[in-house]
Amino acid sequence: MASSTSQPEARNLPSDDGVARRLLDSSAQLSYDPLTEVDWDTPLDTSYHGASPEWSTLYGTAYWNELTEAQRRALTRQEAASVASTGIWFEMILQQMVLRDIYAKDPTDDSVQWALTEIADECRHSIMFARGARKLQAPAYRPHRLALELGRIFKTVAFGEAAYAAILVAEEVLDVMQRDWMRDERVVPFVRTINNIHVVEESRHMKFARDETRRHLARAGRLRRRIHAVLIAVAAYVIVTSMVNRKVYANAGLDEDRALREAKANEHHKSMMRASCSGLMEFLASVGLLTRPALFFYKRANLV
């Protein structure tokens, strides 16, 4: 999302302050402080998973069948920490894009105040994810260098519907899996609380991202729409393929090379990802962003 100094046409788009006002009201009524809501003091209980086992990248493979229950739990804890670390990375990108979008806009507008509220939410979420990963006894997983540099480029050049639709992609993918984790009694309680907080607050962010995507597309020409469709799809590919760091397998005591091979060929996990993104793909198709070139990247990421 470029600032209004570099994208003057964005200044003239009518904002929907009615949506922003409803989101602000909802935030005032139902928001959380993770520092007090999450149980940070109780030691980690290793008899629990870090995520629903069915969401593990190895679930359903021959390797998974060979693992003990303790190994499976150790793996899902490392995978959950990796997902959280990827979430922090993208939330930092999100915050910068939103700040650039509202940089020279009227701060008395509800839409600008909602954007600032969303940034505040994301700051709390990032701290919450970081503390959660540490409590799961995991290292600070980071995307590989190429992904980090592509993210640096994306947050600099993306504006309008490209920025907001990419935000939506990241949030929608996380939303479905976290809804499963927060209801699963096999998952360690503090992770369930983290997921519940994120799901509740991100539902407002997704509403705003959908509305902003439609609003910006209303004045987007055919060429811009097609270029941004591919840009969004590339961003989705990088985000999704960065969610589970390869080092989670070694840190869970597994054979990293074998685990990576079986995870890449795991049809169960691919089907879970596709199912989680069905609503997202319907939305992208409805606004003209699911073009044939874009589909190439969504298929590579196992999102369709």
Side-chain angles (χ1 to χ4, degrees):
M1 239 174 291
S3 70
S4 56
T5 55
S6 58
Q7 292 295 331
E9 54 89 13
R11 263 191 322 227
N12 301 319
L13 288 173
S15 62
D16 188 347
D17 269 11
V19 170
R21 172 42 53 191
R22 291 193 294 274
L23 293 173
L24 284 167
D25 291 342
S26 174
S27 179
Q29 295 170 16
L30 187 59
S31 290
Y32 298 95
D33 180 357
L35 295 179
T36 58
E37 295 287 344
V38 180
D39 178 7
W40 300 115
D41 297 327
T42 301
L44 175 66
D45 186 342
T46 57
S47 66
Y48 285 95
H49 284 275
S52 296
E54 292 79 9
W55 277 100
S56 173
T57 54
L58 288 183
Y59 185 88
T61 66
Y63 201 178
W64 177 269
N65 293 334
E66 295 173 16
L67 300 179
T68 65
E69 282 301 315
Q71 288 175 312
R72 293 172 179 174
R73 292 193 295 267
L75 174 59
T76 61
R77 291 196 296 270
Q78 293 297 318
E79 288 177 318
S82 180
V83 170
S85 295
T86 302
I88 295 169
W89 167 60
F90 193 76
E91 283 176 345
M92 289 182 177
I93 294 174
L94 179 160
Q95 291 170 51
Q96 293 177 72
M97 292 192 300
V98 173
L99 274 173
R100 288 172 56 229
D101 187 48
I102 65 173
Y103 171 68
K105 292 181 179 178
D106 182 354
T108 66
D109 283 353
D110 286 342
S111 59
V112 174
Q113 292 179 27
W114 164 252
L116 291 170
T117 300
E118 180 170 339
I119 292 167
D121 288 347
E122 299 298 4
C123 286
R124 292 196 307 274
H125 295 169
S126 293
I127 295 169
M128 175 176 71
F129 285 158
R131 294 188 67 169
R134 183 170 61 188
K135 185 164 180 175
L136 285 167
Q137 301 176 356
Y141 290 112
R142 303 297 293 162
H144 55 76
R145 184 59 182 268
L146 178 59
L148 286 172
E149 296 308 318
L150 288 173
R152 198 186 306 278
I153 294 169
F154 181 78
K155 69 182 178 62
T156 302
V157 303
F159 67 91
E161 65 277 3
Y164 280 107
I167 289 170
L168 182 63
V169 167
E171 292 176 344
E172 289 262 7
V173 172
L174 279 175
D175 182 71
V176 174
M177 65 174 66
Q178 289 186 326
R179 286 178 185 273
D180 285 348
W181 301 358
M182 73 183 195
R183 301 185 185 105
D184 194 337
E185 294 185 357
R186 296 169 296 177
V187 175
V188 64
F190 82 90
V191 169
R192 295 178 63 192
T193 303
I194 287 173
N195 291 326
N196 182 68
I197 291 172
H198 198 247
V199 164
V200 169
E201 297 187 346
E202 289 295 335
S203 65
R204 295 189 286 262
H205 301 181
M206 289 188 288
K207 169 64 176 173
F208 189 65
R210 285 174 183 258
D211 285 353
E212 286 296 295
T213 299
R214 292 190 188 98
R215 187 171 69 86
H216 283 280
L217 282 170
R219 294 188 180 181
R222 183 173 180 271
L223 178 61
R224 170 173 146 176
R225 189 183 298 257
R226 293 183 69 82
I227 292 172
H228 279 189
V230 174
L231 185 60
I232 295 160
V234 171
Y237 173 82
V238 174
I239 293 165
V240 170
T241 56
S242 299
M243 291 182 73
V244 178
N245 190 292
R246 63 179 293 158
K247 295 301 179 184
V248 301
Y249 306 114
N251 290 335
L254 308 186
D255 180 328
E256 182 179 320
D257 291 334
R258 181 188 173 187
L260 194 61
R261 286 195 305 273
E262 297 206 23
K264 286 183 176 179
N266 188 353
E267 292 300 326
H268 169 80
H269 191 259
K270 292 176 185 178
S271 69
M272 294 284 282
M273 293 299 294
R274 286 193 293 268
S276 74
C277 291
S278 59
L280 171 64
M281 293 302 137
E282 288 177 8
F283 172 76
L284 294 176
S286 72
V287 295
L289 292 175
L290 202 59
T291 61
R292 183 173 296 178
L295 274 170
F296 170 80
F297 292 98
Y298 290 123
K299 289 178 180 177
R300 287 287 301 271
N302 300 306
L303 300 183
V304 291

